[in-house]
Amino acid sequence: MLIAGNWKMYKGPAETAEFCLGLRDQELEGVDVVVCPPFVSLAVAVQLLAGTEIAVAAQNVHWEEEGAYTGEVAVGMLRELGVYGTIVGHSERRQYFGETDETVGKRVHAALEAGLFVIACIGETEEERERNETEDVLRRQLSVLEPDDNLVLAYEPVWAIGTGKTATPEMAHEAHDFIKSQLDVPVLYGGSVKPENAAELLSRSSIDGALVGGASLDLESFTAICRAAIRS
Ligand code: 13P
């Protein structure tokens, strides 16, 4: 079971340090824990979590080794910091920053090639679900990915992100089953995961963990979700 906290554009180095110092002292045996701070906070997170089982991942990475790509970060730069992996293809990148299936595929491929662990995000919008297109969308998003020991997927229905609307465990289970029929890798669920709903979601056999946004920013709620994973 894997619980990853996607901090999005929250927590600079000072707040990251405070969180990591707190996290270090928690007993979290029996669950794999990953935190994904913004780029500028990765170094301090790596430093403060060194020697623990908690991994640090970025929220994005570019596919070229280096070059004139303003605002992007290369795989080698993450490796140099001691970062363990990266999220790729989050729906916020797809929605607001023009990320496409093609660029997601290139980012994932480059990160895996370099030995990074990758959490690749997929998921349908509300309109796509209403039009009964969920499986078509997932199939299309998955078409650029190949199984790899260092790859996990995160199924994040866009309508459930930051909205307080969670997919029912049944809906998530159905989507996860479909995803696994297309690509046989672990699948995390993401979208308004909270301490209150984590245990029920994580009890489903097709749900291999969670990618947590808002509730990962607070040490208490994040560790409560990690503990729910340990118990499940
Ligand atoms: P919330 O948990 O805030 O809904 O965000 C989910 C998410 O986007 C994690 O990547």
Side-chain angles (χ1 to χ4, degrees), residues 45-122:
V46 168
Q47 257 167 31
L48 290 175
L49 296 173
T52 73
E53 296 287 306
I54 300 160
V56 177
Q59 298 175 16
N60 198 10
V61 74
H62 197 263
W63 56 87
E64 293 287 350
E65 270 174 45
E66 59 184 5
Y69 300 105
T70 304
E72 292 284 332
V73 167
V75 169
M77 299 171 184
L78 296 181
R79 303 264 344 206
E80 188 178 336
L81 279 186
V83 165
Y84 170 71
T86 184
I87 296 172
V88 174
H90 191 278
S91 65
E92 286 149 15
R93 303 270 352 141
R94 295 178 191 257
Q95 263 183 304
Y96 308 136
F97 301 101
E99 195 79 65
T100 63
D101 293 328
E102 191 196 347
T103 56
V104 169
K106 285 162 110 168
R107 292 180 198 273
V108 169
H109 186 73
L112 290 173
E113 279 273 291
L116 285 180
F117 173 79
V118 173
I119 301 174
C121 303
I122 56 174

Side-chain angles (χ1 to χ4, degrees), residues 76-226:
M77 299 171 184
L78 296 181
R79 303 264 344 206
E80 188 178 336
L81 279 186
V83 165
Y84 170 71
T86 184
I87 296 172
V88 174
H90 191 278
S91 65
E92 286 149 15
R93 303 270 352 141
R94 295 178 191 257
Q95 263 183 304
Y96 308 136
F97 301 101
E99 195 79 65
T100 63
D101 293 328
E102 191 196 347
T103 56
V104 169
K106 285 162 110 168
R107 292 180 198 273
V108 169
H109 186 73
L112 290 173
E113 279 273 291
L116 285 180
F117 173 79
V118 173
I119 301 174
C121 303
I122 56 174
E124 80 288 359
T125 63
E126 188 154 34
E127 297 74 47
E128 288 163 344
R129 177 164 280 268
E130 276 164 8
R131 289 201 300 264
N132 248 338
E133 291 170 6
T134 300
E135 291 192 354
D136 293 341
V137 170
L138 295 175
R139 197 180 289 112
R140 194 199 71 221
Q141 292 173 333
L142 288 167
S143 66
V144 296
L145 305 175
E146 281 164 24
D148 190 291
D149 288 347
N150 272 329
L151 175 67
V152 307
L153 298 170
Y155 170 61
E156 300 205 310
V158 177
W159 47 271
I161 295 177
T163 57
K165 285 194 215 169
T166 320
T168 62
E170 199 45 51
M171 278 158 101
H173 178 66
E174 224 173 79
H176 282 220
D177 258 0
F178 174 74
I179 292 164
K180 287 176 184 212
S181 74
Q182 304 291 305
L183 194 66
D184 189 18
V185 297
V187 185
L188 314 179
Y189 170 76
S192 299
V193 176
K194 306 266 180 285
E196 304 83 62
N197 59 23
E200 203 190 349
L201 284 160
L202 297 173
S203 68
R204 307 304 298 247
S205 58
S206 61
I207 301 182
D208 302 302
L211 182 57
V212 186
S216 74
L217 296 172
D218 174 71
L219 186 63
E220 209 172 303
S221 62
F222 185 58
T223 51
I225 294 168
C226 294

Side-chain angles (χ1 to χ4, degrees), residues 7-21:
W7 293 358
K8 308 193 177 182
M9 201 171 72
Y10 292 96
K11 295 193 194 295
E15 278 185 66
T16 297
E18 193 188 334
F19 187 98
C20 292
L21 286 170

